[in-house]
Every structure is written in structure tokens, then in C-alpha cells.
Amino acid sequence: MPVGRELHLQGRLMEGPSGLVLACDGGHWELEGTRRIRRLIGHEVEVTGWRAGFNGLSCDQVWLAGTPRPRRSRIRWDLPIAGALAVIGIAASLWGVVSSFR
């Protein structure tokens, strides 16, 4: 499978030796996700995400199989936070340059 294509998989979420594992018909996938999905261990789940390495899957959403897919947040918090940190860094740098001339 090419890296970067979004995948939609269904299987049983289990605890593996190095983290969470999704056991499905196509094999086992090592999941990279948040700690919130640990409550679903032992259940049949559906997962969307992107392939990360040979059998890794970077999770976007995880939910119980047979239930509707949860709505995604319309607000992307990562971009405003990154922008705010960049502005703070630039302001701190400029403040340091201006302070050095006094």
C-alpha cells in the first residue's frame, strides 16, 4: 500500500507488546493514537488514518464498529496554536534585539 493514502479498517483492538494493535483480516496494524482509545480495547472498532511505516497506522478517528462515524471537529486547533507560537517567538526575538541596543 502506498504511504499517505487514507485507510478505513475494521477489526479488534488489542494491547500489544509495544502498544495498541488492530487485528483484522489483513493482518495486524500497530496504532499510533491518543490514550482515549484505550477504553475500546477488546472491542470491534473501525479506524481511519494513514499508513506509517510497514504496519503502522497513524489514527485519525477510532470508534465502535456498527455505530455511526463520529463527527469531526470543524476547528483545526493545530494551525492557530502553531501560528501563535511562531508570533510569540518572533516577538521575543525582536524584543531581545531591541533590548540589546539600550
Side-chain angles (χ1 to χ4, degrees), residues 43-59:
H43 293 91
E44 287 286 322
V45 296
E46 293 184 54
V47 178
T48 58
W50 290 268
R51 188 172 182 168
F54 177 71
N55 67 333
L57 188 67
S58 180
C59 299

Side-chain angles (χ1 to χ4, degrees), residues 4 7 14 16-17 26 30 34 41 51 64 73-74 84 87 94 102:
L7 300 173
M14 302 183 309
E30 295 178 4
T34 63
I41 291 175
R51 188 172 182 168
L64 285 173
S73 173
R74 294 180 187 205
V87 167
L94 290 175
R102 289 184 180 182

Side-chain angles (χ1 to χ4, degrees), residues 1-86:
M1 284 185 194
V3 176
R5 194 175 109 211
E6 185 176 31
L7 300 173
H8 183 161
L9 303 169
Q10 182 173 344
R12 182 165 297 277
L13 186 63
M14 302 183 309
E15 183 78 40
S18 61
L20 296 176
V21 174
L22 179 71
C24 54
D25 293 337
H28 294 325
W29 292 88
E30 295 178 4
L31 301 183
E32 297 175 7
T34 63
R35 287 191 278 168
R36 291 185 350 186
I37 64 175
R38 298 185 84 70
R39 63 184 167 83
L40 299 173
I41 291 175
H43 293 91
E44 287 286 322
V45 296
E46 293 184 54
V47 178
T48 58
W50 290 268
R51 188 172 182 168
F54 177 71
N55 67 333
L57 188 67
S58 180
C59 299
D60 183 37
Q61 286 184 303
V62 180
W63 68 97
L64 285 173
T67 61
R69 184 175 181 171
R71 290 181 49 177
R72 297 183 69 186
S73 173
R74 294 180 187 205
I75 300 172
R76 292 197 53 189
W77 292 104
D78 54 345
L79 296 177
I81 291 172
L85 290 174

